[in-house]
Amino acid sequence: MMDQASLRLERVERHFAQGDARLTILDQADLAIMPGEMVALVAPSGSGKSTLLHIAGLLERPDAGDVVVNGQSCGALDDAGRTTMRRSAIGFVYQFHHLLPEFSALENVMLPQMIGGLRRDLAADRARELLDYMRLGHRTKHRPSELSGGEQQRVAIARAVANNPFVLLADEPTGNLDPTTSNYVFDAMTALVRQSGVAALIATHNHDLARRMDRAVTLSEGKIRDHRL
């Protein structure tokens, strides 16, 4: 269904013990992101952005509530089921690229596909297609150490969407880049989101980039709220 959110958080709660007290990070937090939508997550350090991304990406379990990915409830999944869902339906981009240094750009984008069971030749074709789209077709054989910061991050974005995920989660994906390179990488990521129809939740401190997304949300008193920039 076209009106079905690719990512939905339903009354999600997350609490941590702090001495004898309980620290509430998320308090019945709700969020829905549609296919092809880019949502900026703008909130102060320590407000729970990373916790929210980890829960949305099934890296951390909420204390209550549910995460629904492309219509499938993930609350009752066991660890193996959550791993399978992460591998097939969710892509991650971090502030640091986390590319495997011993492999080329092409191989870095091939690996998640091959882990998912795709044949090597088909994974290579898909990797070349994505790297071409990211304007890196001439850098496929280069290792991460031979790439610039912007190139490394574009390879990381290509790797994140290699398995055609429904959801893309990014944590300060341009935070380590200069303004010019940051804009270039953001433009490439935006084009990929629009072309693929993936739902993107992007944590950023850069208000200029946040204003270029479809909308922005923030975290306030454990709730996810609309945010005006």
Side-chain angles (χ1 to χ4, degrees), residues 57-61 72 74 77-92 112 115-116 163:
L58 307 183
L59 293 169
E60 189 174 326
R61 291 183 183 271
Q72 180 175 344
C74 299
L77 292 178
D78 60 15
D79 288 343
R82 290 166 69 86
T83 298
T84 298
M85 180 65 79
R86 279 197 306 272
R87 187 169 59 212
S88 63
I90 302 172
F92 297 89
I115 290 171
N163 281 335

Side-chain angles (χ1 to χ4, degrees), residues 169-202:
L169 303 172
D171 192 359
E172 297 288 348
T174 63
N176 285 328
L177 306 175
D178 64 81
T180 299
T181 305
S182 174
N183 282 326
Y184 191 89
V185 168
F186 181 79
D187 286 344
M189 183 165 59
T190 299
L192 201 55
V193 168
R194 303 305 191 199
Q195 184 271 338
S196 66
V198 66
L201 178 62
I202 301 170

Side-chain angles (χ1 to χ4, degrees), residues 109-199:
V109 182
M110 289 171 60
L111 279 172
Q113 302 176 73
M114 294 172 65
I115 290 171
L118 195 64
R119 274 184 5 218
R120 183 182 183 88
D121 59 333
L122 297 178
D125 288 344
R126 168 73 172 159
R128 288 191 188 93
E129 176 186 326
L130 286 168
L131 291 172
D132 283 342
Y133 194 86
M134 301 299 281
R135 299 182 183 178
L136 290 170
H138 62 300
R139 306 289 270 168
T140 58
K141 295 181 180 179
H142 291 72
R143 293 186 179 183
S145 62
E146 300 171 309
L147 302 173
S148 69
E151 289 171 336
Q152 291 168 345
Q153 202 63 328
R154 279 184 283 152
V155 174
I157 293 167
R159 179 182 61 182
V161 300
N163 281 335
N164 293 305
F166 297 107
V167 177
L168 177 65
L169 303 172
D171 192 359
E172 297 288 348
T174 63
N176 285 328
L177 306 175
D178 64 81
T180 299
T181 305
S182 174
N183 282 326
Y184 191 89
V185 168
F186 181 79
D187 286 344
M189 183 165 59
T190 299
L192 201 55
V193 168
R194 303 305 191 199
Q195 184 271 338
S196 66
V198 66

